[in-house]
Each structure stands twice: as structure tokens, then as C-alpha cells.
């Protein structure tokens, strides 16, 4: 999330840095309820502060179910996604 995006969408500095801009219909993320505008804070116990960290953390998960902690319009929510 850039400073310009924070200003435009009213995203607080402490909300997180990786925003979901599109979710494929029928994907595990879509089925689990992750949606456009959600901000990814953690994957498992790993803090996410960049897109690179997002993919690194996602690829490092060996479990069938992955917990995503997201910021959804100011509310912190954890969603389990099955691969």
C-alpha cells in the first residue's frame, strides 16, 4: 500500500501493507471470504509487510489449511483457507 493509496482510500498507516485488489471467483480465497480491499496482515504466524513476503510466506506453508489474518475496514479477522 503506497502513501497515495492510504490517502485516497483512508487506510491507516498501521492497517498493513498488502491490499487485496482482486480475488478469482471460485478460488479457495473467494470461497473462504477474502475480498477486494482486505489488507493481509499475517499468513500463519508470519507478519506480512510486502508482496514478496506474502508470496514467500504462502509458498512456505506445508499445511492444507492456512490462516490469514486480515484487516477488513478496521476490523482484524482471521480466515482459514484450505488449499
Amino acid at each position: 500500500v503506497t502513501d497515495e493509496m492510504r490517502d485516497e482510500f483512508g487506510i491507516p498507516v498501521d492497517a498493513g501493507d498488502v491490499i487485496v485488489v482482486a480475488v478469482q471467483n471460485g478460488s479457495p480465497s473467494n470461497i473462504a471470504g477474502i475480498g477486494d480491499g482486505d489488507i493481509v496482515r499475517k499468513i500463519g504466524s508470519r507478519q506480512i509487510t510486502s508482496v514478496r513476503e506474502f508470496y514467500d510466506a504462502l509458498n512456505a506453508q506445508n499445511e492444507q489449511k492456512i490462516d490469514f489474518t486480515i484487516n477488513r475496514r478496521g476490523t482484524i479477522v482471521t480466515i482459514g483457507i484450505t488449499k
Side-chain angles (χ1 to χ4, degrees):
V1 176
T2 65
D3 289 337
E4 292 80 20
M5 291 173 73
R6 287 186 196 288
D7 290 342
E8 183 176 343
F9 298 107
I11 300 169
V13 172
D14 65 347
D17 293 315
V18 178
I19 189 167
V20 177
V21 294
V23 178
Q24 183 177 355
N25 285 336
S27 70
S29 296
N30 175 251
I31 292 167
I34 290 182
D36 298 355
D38 287 344
I39 300 172
V40 180
R41 300 293 305 263
K42 291 183 182 178
I43 295 178
S45 61
R46 191 167 171 179
Q47 191 77 26
I48 304 300
T49 59
S50 69
V51 173
R52 179 180 215 62
E53 285 182 358
F54 174 87
Y55 285 110
D56 287 349
L58 192 59
N59 290 329
Q61 297 295 315
N62 295 323
E63 298 85 24
Q64 281 298 95
K65 181 181 172 225
I66 303 170
D67 288 331
F68 283 71
T69 302
I70 61 170
N71 182 322
R72 179 173 287 154
R73 294 181 291 283
T75 301
I76 303 299
V77 179
T78 300
I79 298 175
I81 299 176
T82 303
K83 289 184 183 181

